[in-house]
Amino acid sequence: MSITFQDIKNKKNELDKKIAFREATLRGDAAKLMVAYRDSLSLPKAEWFCSDGRGRPYVESGYLMNGKFAPCSVSGFSLDEERRLKFMISTVVSDDGLHAGEYYLVSIGMWYEEKMLHVSVGGVPGSIIVACHDDTDSYFEVCTAMKDVVFRSFNDRRLD
């Protein structure tokens, strides 16, 4: 059998479509996770206000750029070379006083393996399998792990 340029081109186009579909699917999953996490925090209000009066979100997605958090909508994320969606979730941990706007970052990785959605949460070994990821309730275990990572970050045995 002889492989032609058209065969190669068709195969490449087929791969590009699969990648685009996977990326769109994972972005949708990431958006559901963001909603589930935000809702699970029982926030006091929709946003907090900084000293200049601007409203700011309590929870944002983004990535690290030169060691600093750069907010970015999940629609702006791309798959890495392993076909995983990796990003950070910032949680504001102080919304008033001297430390207003202080935040904590949790790294998130999302991918499909054998048609199952896996989510890694920075600081938690392994991955969490989200069996039914059609609604935000499906992300309960991931949200719990994220909140635990943030909560544990404020333990300092040196102060006990």
Side-chain angles (χ1 to χ4, degrees), residues 7-159:
D7 296 330
I8 293 170
K9 184 177 172 181
N10 290 344
K11 190 70 171 171
K12 169 75 168 84
N13 288 339
E14 181 182 316
L15 177 63
D16 289 346
K17 286 178 185 174
K18 286 180 180 180
I19 291 170
F21 181 76
R22 176 61 51 90
E23 192 169 70
T25 302
L26 285 170
R27 284 176 178 166
D29 295 332
K32 290 175 194 163
L33 172 60
M34 291 296 295
V35 169
Y37 180 61
R38 190 176 300 113
D39 290 351
S40 77
L41 291 171
S42 300
L43 296 168
K45 50 195 174 234
E47 55 189 9
W48 67 278
F49 294 90
C50 46
S51 59
D52 65 5
R54 286 183 304 130
R56 303 287 303 149
Y58 281 93
V59 176
E60 288 184 284
S61 60
Y63 53 90
L64 287 180
M65 177 183 255
N66 300 323
K68 260 189 111 173
F69 179 71
C72 179
S73 166
V74 294
S75 64
F77 297 141
S78 299
L79 298 181
D80 68 7
E81 62 280 347
E82 296 177 323
R83 310 293 190 233
R84 295 178 180 203
L85 200 65
K86 293 181 180 176
F87 57 100
M88 305 295 283
I89 295 181
S90 167
T91 305
V92 169
V93 296
S94 181
D95 61 356
D96 60 8
L98 184 60
H99 299 286
E102 191 174 332
Y103 59 87
Y104 188 85
L105 297 175
V106 176
S107 62
I108 300 293
M110 301 181 93
W111 69 95
Y112 279 89
E113 195 172 299
E114 297 180 14
K115 299 185 181 188
M116 298 294 289
L117 175 62
H118 290 251
V119 180
S120 65
V121 176
V124 177
S127 65
I128 299 167
I129 296 174
V130 180
C132 175
H133 44 90
D134 293 335
D135 60 24
T136 57
D137 293 337
S138 305
Y139 296 90
F140 175 80
E141 191 176 349
V142 178
C143 293
T144 300
M146 291 170 59
K147 291 187 286 189
D148 189 52
V149 167
V150 174
F151 197 76
R152 283 186 292 122
S153 75
F154 297 110
N155 290 335
D156 189 339
R157 295 187 188 275
R158 298 170 296 183
L159 299 174

